[in-house]
Amino acid sequence: MAPPPEDESGAGGGRCCCGGARWVLLGLALGQFVSLLITSTGFASSELARRGINAPTSQSLLNYVLLAVVYGGVLLYRRQPLTIKWYYYLILGIIDVEANYIVVKSYQYTSLTSVMLLDCWSIPCVIVLTWVFLKTKYGLRKFLGVGVCVAGLILVVFSDVHASDRAKGPNPLKGDLLVIFGSMLYACSNVTEEFVVKKSNRVELMAMLGLFGAIVSAIQISILERKELHSITWNAGAVLPFLGYAVAMFLFYSTVPTVLKICGATMLNLSLLTSDMWAVLIRIFAYHEKKVWGSMEVEETAQVTGASDEKGKEGDEEAGAHNPV
């Protein structure tokens, strides 16, 4: 099944409607598939964090190696020259690796709730970048939505700066700024991939991203995570989450170019918003956890509130290895 043809306005495959109803359904289905994969990587990262393993770059390394080996092998078999200069892929690899690392790092300074809200900043960034560089057309309502999003982000940051409790993290402003910067890098990575996959091909993109992503990750690991890797006890409990994370990320990266070609970067980022819903469903049906839908009682004592804040902080630190794409 071939992707929908580009329209003459220059918007390309950035709008699902240009391919008919089946492309809308296919785009939505693939979007939810990658959202579920992101949720899986979150559970793998949480398990690693629960065991005291905090090596986000090392988690991503195996994924990049798999991309380089699988798609690089196909590229070598085809013996096709690169359609895009190699140094553009190097820049893309750096952006992709650092986006993952910066967002994960932000969990050390701000709350999990703030990270989940602020990483939505990638959506207005993607809209602006695709509008400027890819000439994708958007209506006035979408830009009004961007304005509402920006206003919400300002309120979240303002709330964190003036937070008086420890549940917000040791340095909420620093953490919030890291999330916002990481989301901007995610947006740059998604839009660049959309451009490359439409000008080149999926195999070349994944092979070169895997190659340069692995090189950048290896250099960063040797500088930042060497001691952490030496301190890990490599048993089944540590190896299996690493492998699960790598497989889920490999499938995610392999599927993303197809979503980008059919629906564009904006639809991809909107689809990833449902990852939290998948996480709740998995916890309910797979782990049989009970969720409390509603607010806590106002009459709670200060002692109970303080204990809840401490637990919330510990939960944020355990989720520090979560990797949002």
Side-chain angles (χ1 to χ4, degrees):
M1 184 179 293
E6 298 186 1
D7 60 334
E8 296 178 357
S9 64
R15 294 179 294 176
C16 292
C17 59
C18 63
R22 63 172 182 172
W23 292 111
V24 175
L25 296 176
L26 179 60
L28 291 175
L30 290 177
Q32 293 311 300
F33 178 62
V34 297
S35 180
L36 184 58
L37 290 174
I38 280 294
T39 305
S40 302
T41 63
F43 277 96
S45 298
S46 298
E47 178 63 21
L48 291 172
R50 189 182 68 83
R51 296 177 178 273
I53 300 174
N54 184 19
T57 310
S58 302
Q59 291 175 224
S60 301
L61 175 62
L62 183 55
N63 164 56
Y64 290 122
V65 171
L66 287 174
L67 290 173
V69 171
V70 174
Y71 291 100
V74 176
L75 194 64
L76 291 175
Y77 176 78
R78 293 179 178 179
R79 297 182 179 180
Q80 295 177 345
L82 295 179
T83 57
I84 296 178
K85 298 294 184 180
W86 64 270
Y87 46 81
Y88 290 116
Y89 289 114
L90 172 60
I91 297 174
L92 177 60
I94 295 174
I95 293 174
D96 197 71
V97 171
E98 298 310 320
N100 291 330
Y101 181 81
I102 290 174
V103 171
V104 169
K105 198 71 174 176
S106 67
Y107 283 92
Q108 299 179 12
Y109 304 103
T110 190
S111 66
L112 175 62
T113 303
S114 295
V115 175
M116 293 170 61
L117 291 172
L118 291 171
D119 64 7
C120 298
W121 172 244
S122 61
I123 296 175
C125 291
V126 164
I127 290 178
V128 172
L129 290 174
T130 53
W131 178 58
V132 174
F133 295 103
L134 302 185
K135 307 304 179 183
T136 304
K137 296 181 179 180
Y138 297 104
L140 178 60
R141 286 179 296 180
K142 289 187 174 62
F143 288 106
L144 291 177
V146 170
V148 173
C149 181
V150 173
L153 293 175
I154 294 174
L155 291 176
V156 171
V157 175
F158 183 80
S159 174
D160 282 352
V161 169
H162 292 274
S164 58
D165 59 348
R166 296 285 295 176
K168 291 294 184 180
N171 194 339
L173 178 59
K174 181 178 180 179
D176 292 350
L177 293 177
L178 285 175
V179 179
I180 292 174
F181 183 61
S183 299
M184 293 172 65
L185 292 180
Y186 277 136
C188 294
S189 176
N190 292 157
V191 175
T192 303
E193 288 181 25
E194 180 180 352
F195 173 79
V196 171
V197 80
K198 290 177 180 178
K199 297 295 182 181
S200 177
N201 60 80
R202 173 172 167 265
V203 173
E204 180 180 313
L205 170 63
M206 291 294 97
M208 301 307 292
L209 178 60
L211 174 62
F212 290 111
I215 294 174
V216 174
S217 297
I219 295 173
Q220 187 159 303
I221 289 170
S222 65
I223 299 174
L224 301 177
E225 300 179 4
R226 185 170 51 187
K227 293 181 180 180
E228 178 69 24
L229 292 178
H230 287 168
S231 65
I232 296 175
T233 302
W234 292 101
N235 51 27
V239 173
L240 290 179
F242 260 100
L243 294 178
Y245 178 90
V247 172
M249 285 299 288
F250 174 77
L251 293 175
F252 173 81
Y253 274 72
S254 300
T255 309
V256 161
T258 304
V259 180
L260 290 173
K261 195 161 189 175
I262 295 175
C263 294
T266 303
M267 184 63 181
L268 171 64
N269 283 269
L270 290 173
S271 298
L272 295 181
L273 293 177
T274 61
S275 59
D276 298 327
M277 177 198 70
W278 290 117
V280 171
L281 293 177
I282 291 175
R283 288 187 182 278
I284 292 175
F285 294 105
Y287 292 89
H288 303 289
E289 294 185 4
K290 293 183 179 180
K291 294 294 178 183
V292 179
W293 308 102
S295 60
M296 299 177 63
E297 294 294 333
V298 179
E299 293 82 4
E300 283 185 323
T301 64
Q303 181 179 0
V304 175
T305 305
S308 300
D309 289 345
E310 285 298 319
K311 289 181 180 180
K313 179 184 175 184
E314 292 173 5
D316 290 349
E317 291 175 351
E318 287 183 358
H322 177 63
N323 187 2
V325 163

